Amino acid sequence: MRQQEENSFNSFCFTDFDGRFRARLAGVIPRFFAVAEETKLAGTSARYQCRIKVEYQKDLMGLLEEGMLLAVKNFKEAGEDEERFTLMEISRVWPEHFGLRGLSDHGYYPMQFEIIEQSEEDWQTDDKSTMMVQIDAIPINYDLIINGKCEFEFVKGFSYPVVGSPAYLLNGEMINRMYNQKIAEKLGIDPSKTVGDARMDPRLGLIKMFQASRTIIPIYVDFEKLVRYHFGVFAFTGGGKSNLMSNILRRLLYHTEQTKIVVFDISCEYVFLLLDVLTDPAISAKVIMENRIDSLEQFFNSVVKPREYETDERIKKGLKCIMDQSRLFYYNRPRRKVPTYSEFMEELSDQRKGSADKPNYMNAIDEVRDAILEYIEEHGLMENQEVSEDFVKYIDQVARAKVEEFKVHEKSGLYAWATTRSMLLDRIKRRNEIEEKEAGGLTIKKIRELLEDKTTRLICISISDPFTIKDLVITLTQDLLVRRKRRFQVKPYILLVFDEAQEFIPSGASGIDAKCSGHVETLLRQGRKYGLGVCIATQRIAYLNTNALQQLHTYFVGTLPRPYDRQLVSETFMIDKGILEKTLEFAPGEWLLSSYIATGMENVPIFIKADNAENEIEKYLKENV
């Protein structure tokens, strides 16, 4: 390619920080070692680590950042008038002084101090003979192809770069195109006009690059793929998990047409974090609390708020708006257990245990079972639904007739089971009478009806009792999946959000914890086929069911101080440890985003600064309260 053409695409795609950045690839180091060492590097998706050496400039260390992308020419053949580059992500940057590198602890002490003192003055110069900037970079398994007309293409796959060739730094405009062009076209937006307002712009935040030059690069995701293929948010306490989650949910509601959201809020904080959405007349929303709320003060005290808002009286006016719009309910726990159709059939199957030697008893059981299955099929019911009064009346008549027809002994257990269905009928009637008296209470059945309602977009279930909310999760997840399978239904998409996910999908659990974990895992494995997405957030990823974690296609990783948590993230999601270690420096609201499907570049880690949800709440409080 001619020199003038090379200069044109250099300015179009790359930046050298006004001549400050002059770098070359010094080496490509294989990442595959002996088995003993390979375990230490588990989790990396790159087969090589690249070392780039950069001429020293005193301002350069303030401009270079981890996460920036480099391009180096590779050995693959390109088309006529084209250049092909291997792309790699910076994982570590450090300056190096020739004198300090040769400094030995065994040297004469005054001489050591003199060399160290002299190096301080050297850093303020542009002395290229004494100092250098070193960069470690990880190939991201993409090639960049550019032709003489400055048309570019990204091709997935790794190509071995040419050692010794120049390393170019992708500029902000190229990064914007790379991550946002396809998604922005799908959303119908202009990334150059990005703003922080959630209603006006569906961005999640800003990419953490070129901050020193104040270049603003937004980050967008494909909401449809984000929801349908599940995502996770992982960070230590104070990292901003709930803040990020609420902002994602807010943008999903504002910038998608049909997506429904169910938040299982065991920490009771999303009523505050989504206060502007829950009071928005344009969005049909419901808040379901653990107990009946009789006063505004009680509602205010039931909601968990950030420290600076704990005594803010303005919030009461927002909560009152929720109450005035009749959006506040409470969960009406089932007081009298009514069996489902499947449990009803299990009771019948139990009667077989002592009847194997009585053919007439077995025939009676089979006849009753066939009658149950026919009733379910004729009425379009599902086996996980609770039995109804009409069904009990019907099966009572059938069971009594069959035990008489097949001469079942009056003192047998089967005869007793068949002739005591009226007791179940009384139980159903009494429970229905109690539920009718408790105005404002929602049963599982009514919550399910809200999900099927075309208008309801957001349901926030704020229940702090672990047993109660887990029991509700088990029933709802099973019911949603069975209904969608039966109807072959995909839309509208429903996103189920599990904050404090260690409560819902723990590893090595027993009892109701194991049952809840199993149901959510099943939802994660099968839900994408039926438009059911899952979001999980936790501060201790090590406590989670790893089978469930492996179903996630998008993940946001914040600060995880415990090494085991970072190792598990690296191994589960194939994030290079060199890049993952950068998260230890993150301030609240800063994230490592990577996705197999929802971002503009598949499985490429991106450092981002998420927009602050509290800005939306503060804006709402100032304008409406």
Side-chain angles (χ1 to χ4, degrees):
M1 184 176 289
R2 297 190 303 272
Q3 184 65 37
Q4 62 182 27
E5 291 176 341
E6 185 171 341
N7 291 337
S8 67
F9 75 68
N10 280 355
S11 60
F12 175 74
C13 300
F14 308 134
T15 179
D16 60 2
F17 294 124
D18 297 325
R20 294 186 182 93
F21 185 81
R22 297 182 62 189
R24 288 187 179 270
L25 177 65
V28 180
I29 308 164
R31 300 294 293 272
F32 290 153
F33 301 96
V35 175
E37 292 192 16
E38 192 171 316
T39 56
K40 299 177 184 178
L41 296 167
T44 178
S45 59
R47 293 183 294 155
Y48 300 94
Q49 175 177 309
C50 300
R51 177 66 55 83
I52 290 93
K53 296 185 181 292
V54 189
E55 290 185 0
Y56 182 79
Q57 293 276 349
K58 63 180 180 180
D59 299 328
L60 199 55
M61 284 302 297
L63 298 171
L64 292 174
E65 301 175 53
E66 288 91 345
M68 286 182 168
L69 297 182
L70 297 169
V72 179
K73 290 180 183 178
N74 59 49
F75 286 101
K76 272 196 177 176
E77 286 188 16
E80 186 178 351
D81 200 30
E82 288 182 341
E83 291 287 355
R84 187 168 183 137
F85 299 85
T86 297
L87 294 179
M88 53 192 73
E89 184 167 3
I90 296 177
S91 62
R92 191 162 66 111
V93 181
W94 73 100
E96 202 166 83
H97 191 286
F98 183 79
L100 292 176
R101 188 173 184 180
L103 192 64
S104 170
D105 288 340
H106 302 290
Y108 184 50
Y109 291 163
M111 185 177 294
Q112 289 187 44
F113 277 106
E114 184 176 347
I115 295 173
I116 293 170
E117 287 174 6
Q118 179 62 41
S119 69
E120 181 184 10
E121 297 177 5
D122 293 341
W123 295 123
Q124 305 307 315
T125 70
D126 292 328
D127 187 355
K128 299 176 180 61
S129 63
T130 307
M131 293 163 293
M132 178 186 291
V133 176
Q134 301 266 30
I135 292 177
D136 277 345
I138 309 296
I140 63 172
N141 299 324
Y142 274 94
D143 279 4
L144 169 64
I145 301 176
I146 311 173
N147 63 23
K149 298 178 181 178
C150 293
E151 296 171 337
F152 64 91
E153 178 187 4
F154 296 105
V155 179
K156 193 168 181 61
F158 172 76
S159 301
Y160 199 94
V162 179
V163 178
S165 60
Y168 302 98
L169 196 64
L170 269 64
N171 61 28
E173 188 176 351
M174 192 64 178
I175 294 293
N176 199 346
R177 292 193 194 97
M178 180 176 174
Y179 288 128
N180 294 321
Q181 184 167 316
K182 287 190 283 187
I183 297 174
E185 289 174 357
K186 183 175 181 178
L187 294 172
I189 57 173
D190 183 357
S192 65
K193 299 178 181 178
T194 183
V195 292
D197 190 303
R199 290 177 180 271
M200 298 175 63
D201 195 342
R203 78 179 196 190
L204 298 187
L206 301 176
I207 297 177
K208 280 176 56 62
M209 287 189 200
F210 305 103
Q211 293 183 326
S213 58
R214 298 182 180 179
T215 301
I216 296 176
I217 310 172
I219 181 65
Y220 298 94
V221 296
D222 187 321
F223 287 130
E224 180 181 349
K225 293 177 180 177
L226 180 74
V227 170
R228 190 169 179 181
Y229 293 91
H230 318 310
F231 65 99
V233 180
F234 312 113
F236 194 59
T237 302
K241 296 187 304 297
S242 301
N243 192 300
L244 172 66
M245 296 264 288
S246 64
N247 247 339
I248 294 174
L249 302 184
R250 183 177 281 106
R251 283 162 170 80
L252 279 170
L253 291 167
Y254 288 152
H255 299 283
T256 61
E257 293 182 0
Q258 294 183 317
T259 306
K260 294 175 178 284
I261 297 172
V262 184
V263 183
F264 294 98
D265 181 20
I266 198 170
S267 54
C268 301
E269 57 186 350
Y270 281 86
V271 174
F272 169 81
L273 291 169
L274 294 172
L275 188 61
D276 57 322
V277 180
L278 291 168
T279 57
D280 189 340
I283 296 177
S284 179
K286 301 289 186 293
V287 176
I288 304 174
M289 303 299 290
E290 187 169 352
N291 300 300
R292 182 199 294 270
I293 301 294
D294 296 317
S295 67
L296 180 60
E297 192 67 29
Q298 186 183 357
F299 192 16
F300 180 77
N301 293 333
S302 299
V303 175
V304 175
K305 302 167 283 293
R307 188 180 302 123
E308 58 270 25
Y309 286 96
E310 285 179 348
T311 58
D312 195 329
E313 294 293 319
R314 296 177 300 169
I315 296 172
K316 288 185 178 180
K317 294 182 180 179
L319 298 178
K320 186 176 185 302
C321 186
I322 294 176
M323 299 176 74
D324 291 343
Q325 294 185 54
S326 300
R327 298 187 171 198
L328 179 62
F329 301 87
Y330 69 95
Y331 178 49
N332 194 348
R333 301 173 185 82
R335 299 186 182 182
R336 295 177 179 272
K337 178 64 176 174
V338 175
T340 62
Y341 290 101
S342 62
E343 291 171 342
F344 196 92
M345 286 191 288
E346 286 175 9
E347 289 181 15
L348 181 60
S349 298
D350 289 341
Q351 299 299 322
R352 288 177 171 272
K353 295 177 181 177
S355 306
D357 57 341
K358 301 181 180 68
N360 57 326
Y361 284 31
M362 299 292 284
N363 289 335
I365 292 170
D366 290 339
E367 290 284 334
V368 176
R369 181 181 179 83
D370 289 344
I372 295 172
L373 293 173
E374 287 176 9
Y375 185 93
I376 292 173
E377 186 174 350
E378 287 176 6
H379 291 80
L381 302 170
M382 283 172 281
E383 294 181 2
N384 65 321
Q385 287 181 246
E386 292 181 349
V387 297
S388 64
E389 290 186 46
D390 292 339
F391 168 77
V392 175
K393 291 176 182 178
Y394 164 76
I395 209 63
D396 181 58
Q397 294 177 355
V398 172
R400 288 177 184 274
K402 295 303 177 183
V403 294
E404 294 294 335
E405 180 183 346
F406 290 96
K407 309 299 182 184
V408 175
H409 197 277
E410 294 181 359
K411 293 185 179 180
S412 67
L414 177 58
Y415 189 92
W417 180 89
T419 57
T420 54
R421 298 302 90 201
S422 58
M423 295 175 63
L424 176 58
L425 191 61
D426 291 339
R427 191 192 312 171
I428 295 173
K429 287 180 178 178
R430 284 197 296 271
R431 197 183 79 168
N432 290 342
E433 289 172 0
I434 293 171
E435 289 176 355
E436 288 175 4
K437 292 177 182 178
E438 296 184 350
L442 294 181
T443 61
I444 292 178
K445 180 181 178 182
K446 291 181 179 178
I447 295 173
R448 183 176 64 238
E449 290 172 354
L450 285 176
L451 285 173
E452 294 178 344
D453 178 30
K454 292 182 179 180
T455 59
T456 303
R457 298 280 313 276
L458 172 63
I459 300 175
C460 183
I461 304 173
S462 293
I463 298 176
S464 60
D465 179 60
F467 183 88
T468 302
I469 198 167
K470 288 172 189 175
D471 185 61
L472 181 58
V473 166
I474 291 168
T475 305
L476 278 181
T477 53
Q478 181 185 28
D479 193 65
L480 276 172
L481 197 54
V482 170
R483 283 174 176 272
R484 292 250 165 160
K485 284 182 178 179
R486 179 73 62 86
R487 300 172 181 175
F488 302 101
Q489 184 181 358
V490 175
K491 290 187 176 181
Y493 296 137
I494 299 179
L495 175 66
L496 293 94
V497 179
F498 299 95
D499 200 357
E500 305 298 339
Q502 70 276 3
E503 296 286 343
F504 301 100
I505 49 172
S507 61
S510 59
I512 191 172
D513 292 336
K515 189 175 182 181
C516 184
S517 180
H519 276 73
V520 177
E521 180 188 334
T522 301
L523 183 66
L524 280 158
R525 283 191 283 105
Q526 302 179 15
R528 68 176 66 98
K529 302 173 187 176
Y530 306 101
L532 299 174
V534 175
C535 168
I536 61 175
T538 185
Q539 60 182 341
R540 282 309 309 272
I541 189 173
Y543 291 163
L544 300 190
N545 178 343
T546 52
N547 291 330
L549 281 178
Q550 290 169 353
Q551 306 303 319
L552 304 179
H553 281 60
T554 304
Y555 27 90
F556 298 82
V557 183
T559 301
L560 294 170
R562 296 179 177 87
Y564 182 74
D565 287 340
R566 296 197 301 277
Q567 180 182 347
L568 188 60
V569 170
S570 178
E571 293 172 355
T572 305
F573 304 125
M574 299 300 289
I575 301 178
D576 188 88
K577 288 185 179 180
I579 293 174
L580 196 58
E581 292 296 317
K582 173 67 177 176
T583 63
L584 292 172
E585 304 170 18
F586 281 175
E590 296 180 348
W591 300 91
L592 174 64
L593 164 62
S594 188
S595 176
Y596 292 106
I597 197 165
T599 52
M601 299 291 284
E602 296 177 11
N603 203 28
V604 176
I606 313 166
F607 296 122
I608 69 170
K609 172 68 174 178
D611 290 329
N612 191 349
E614 290 183 14
N615 292 340
E616 297 293 329
I617 300 299
E618 187 62 34
K619 179 183 175 183
Y620 165 77
L621 293 175
K622 288 179 178 179
E623 293 178 355
N624 299 279
V625 177

